[in-house]
Amino acid sequence: MNIIKLITLLGLGTLVSACGSVPDIASRNAPFETTGAALAASGVQAQLPQAMHVKAINVRVPRTLKVSEANVFYPRADIVWRGDPIGDRHAQIQSIFETAFAQGTSDMTGPVDVILDVEIVRFHSVTEKTRYTVGGVHNMEFRLTAFNAMTGLPLAPTRQIEANLPAYGGAQAIAEERRGQTQKVRVIGYLAQVIRQELQKPA
């Protein structure tokens, strides 16, 4: 397991100032390297993500993932989300990832067209009870595979990634909401950073 700290990323803006520190991202399996048979076949010659142009982002949120709307401190479920009005939580999570990953890859204008395949494993945010008292963590897990759009070959083995963002509680949660830093805004901004970091070749 590689533990990647985002402390060197530039341009974190209000997210960093709000969090105080940037949470860890845990990646399982191989990093996106620019060597090996798959990359040789794909034609990637430069360091990623500079060589990439993300042409499509396919996000899947399996309907088998259990949703909880229970207003308790820590529901036992795969999906817990209160940052949108009550509704189809699977569709809401899909939209969050699509928006975040589109933002995070928008300036990748390299010569290699890439398709990102994303499968959500877990999206456990905080309930109203938790948010307006102690706060918690937005815990997000997903599987990521990047494919060469022309050849269909993967750029690396599929990785399972866990990303954790502190969830404000009590008066701080209310204050940030008034500033426009809603749960959804913060999660999308954070996931945009996550995908950029995950597509970079480790130093």
Side-chain angles (χ1 to χ4, degrees):
M1 180 187 296
N2 293 322
I3 306 297
I4 302 176
K5 299 282 187 180
L6 293 182
I7 55 175
T8 57
L9 263 179
L10 300 177
L12 300 187
T14 57
L15 181 58
V16 170
S17 61
C19 294
S21 61
V22 182
D24 295 344
I25 301 171
S27 300
R28 299 168 178 83
N29 300 325
F32 288 104
E33 300 287 357
T34 55
T35 58
L39 286 184
S42 71
V44 177
Q45 300 296 326
Q47 181 179 354
L48 300 177
Q50 288 82 356
M52 285 185 175
H53 171 245
V54 177
K55 187 176 182 180
I57 302 169
N58 301 323
V59 178
R60 299 188 309 281
V61 185
R63 289 284 165 175
T64 53
L65 295 181
K66 181 182 176 182
V67 176
S68 176
E69 299 290 347
N71 191 19
V72 296
F73 279 114
Y74 197 85
R76 293 187 178 183
D78 304 304
I79 296 177
V80 175
W81 178 238
R82 302 294 190 271
D84 282 299
I86 192 167
D88 186 339
R89 299 301 190 191
H90 294 82
Q92 291 169 359
I93 301 311
Q94 179 179 344
S95 176
I96 286 170
F97 272 83
E98 289 172 344
T99 301
F101 284 10
Q103 289 181 8
T105 61
S106 61
D107 62 347
M108 297 181 186
T109 57
V112 179
D113 286 339
V114 171
I115 296 173
L116 299 183
D117 186 82
V118 183
E119 180 180 349
I120 309 307
V121 175
R122 175 179 167 88
F123 191 103
H124 202 290
S125 183
V126 292
T127 64
E128 299 91 337
K129 188 172 186 177
T130 304
R131 185 164 187 253
Y132 292 114
T133 53
V134 296
V137 175
H138 302 290
N139 172 242
M140 297 160 281
E141 296 184 36
F142 60 95
R143 297 187 182 99
L144 173 67
T145 312
F147 293 92
N148 182 296
M150 182 175 294
T151 67
L153 293 173
L155 299 180
T158 298
R159 287 185 286 176
Q160 183 157 321
I161 297 157
E162 180 176 358
N164 294 308
L165 176 68
Y168 297 136
Q172 187 178 12
I174 296 172
E176 292 300 324
E177 184 99 13
R178 289 173 177 169
R179 291 180 55 244
Q181 290 296 303
T182 65
Q183 294 183 89
K184 190 171 183 177
V185 167
R186 295 187 66 239
V187 166
I188 288 175
Y190 176 61
L191 285 173
Q193 298 168 30
V194 168
I195 191 59
R196 285 196 60 83
Q197 182 69 18
E198 287 297 326
L199 293 178
Q200 288 178 355
K201 179 181 176 181

